[in-house]
Amino acid sequence: SHENAFEHIEISLGVAKGSVALSRSATIEPMVPLHVQLANSTLRGVIRRLHFPLEIMLVCVRWYAAYPLSLRNLEEMMAERGVLVDHATVHRWSLKMLPVLAKVFRRRKHPVGRSWRVDETYVLVGGQWKYLYRAVDRLGQTVDFLLTARRDAAASRRFFERAIGQHDAPEKITIDKSGANIAALRGLLADCGSVIELRQSKYLNNLVEQDHRAVKRRIRPMMGFKSFYSAARLLAGIETMHMIKKGQLRCPGGLAFSHSDYFYSLAVR
């Protein structure tokens, strides 16, 4: 049964209540009823009913967002732990849950520095290259990200408006020699009246270019996304897990200890 499978996965993966790994000789507490798990979760708005314990769903989704695994890899790994879940089901869970968890993360995110490095990287979506705008501060902390269909001034401006809306205007922004980024920033500054030092430096932007690698490494086994819709949702989760690993999540009560604990805390109301 799923309940027995849940007990097995708690022992195998260390995702028991309180995020403390259990030994095989430990006493296992009764599982919280599924409807109670859902009622106490931030995911109740996107999941109507649970056919698996929420902990199992979160483990699958976290692994998919955090590690360079294919969906079939995950299906096999869960089967080895006594949980029979189809790879398409894991994909469906990810599309539903990751945007919600990413939204909760944005509310709990630590502030970033006032000097930003901005760059774009390519992402394959539906057989065509799309553009992932990303920014980090001088310490490498992720400022924001945005997937766009085009690389132009309008797309660049949407990204800057999103980032400034989350963190307020920085003191400095370093970009490459993209004319679209320059036009977007100058137009934005003219409209909002903020004073931001604009720098163009390939050397200073090495930091954000290096940071692209973590995201690229994760999406490589996917061999591209099927649609812009799924790409945007999955990238939100991948970027969220990447920021958690950098220590950018402010956890209520300071009770979490590991990256997995921080991720699971996003599902708690």
Side-chain angles (χ1 to χ4, degrees), residues 75-234:
E75 181 179 337
E76 293 177 11
M77 292 168 65
M78 298 307 289
E80 290 174 359
R81 289 157 175 80
V83 180
L84 301 180
V85 55
D86 187 74
H87 64 278
T89 300
V90 176
H91 187 251
R92 185 167 62 252
W93 289 346
S94 300
L95 291 179
K96 286 185 177 181
M97 297 167 68
L98 287 175
V100 176
L101 300 178
K103 186 175 181 180
V104 176
F105 176 89
R106 290 179 72 84
R107 295 199 299 266
R108 301 180 186 174
K109 184 182 178 185
H110 282 300
V112 296
R114 303 298 303 281
S115 178
W116 299 355
R117 277 75 164 161
V118 180
D119 190 41
E120 314 89 46
T121 188
Y122 296 94
V123 176
L124 191 63
V125 179
Q128 297 181 335
W129 291 111
K130 305 300 179 183
Y131 306 93
L132 179 63
Y133 283 80
R134 304 183 70 250
V136 301
D137 65 14
R138 64 183 182 86
L139 298 178
Q141 301 289 282
T142 301
V143 176
D144 216 331
F145 59 91
L146 180 68
L147 181 67
T148 66
R150 295 179 178 83
R151 186 189 184 195
D152 55 21
S156 181
R157 175 155 180 161
R158 287 200 307 274
F159 170 73
F160 286 118
E161 288 176 341
R162 171 183 163 98
I164 292 174
Q166 173 77 12
H167 295 289
D168 294 329
E171 295 175 353
K172 303 175 183 178
I173 294 180
T174 303
I175 60 175
D176 56 17
K177 295 185 178 181
S178 167
N181 287 341
I182 296 172
L185 270 174
R186 287 176 176 170
L188 182 61
L189 295 179
D191 292 343
C192 69
S194 298
V195 178
I196 301 175
E197 180 183 345
L198 178 60
R199 301 184 296 183
Q200 292 180 272
S201 170
K202 183 71 174 178
Y203 168 74
L204 291 175
N205 256 18
N206 283 344
L207 188 63
V208 64
E209 291 173 1
Q210 293 292 324
D211 197 68
H212 292 333
R213 293 185 179 183
V215 177
K216 291 283 194 175
R217 189 181 307 118
R218 171 59 203 95
I219 66 178
R220 191 172 297 118
M222 298 179 180
M223 296 182 293
F225 299 96
K226 291 184 178 180
S227 69
F228 194 90
Y229 171 85
S230 63
R233 286 174 167 255
L234 295 177

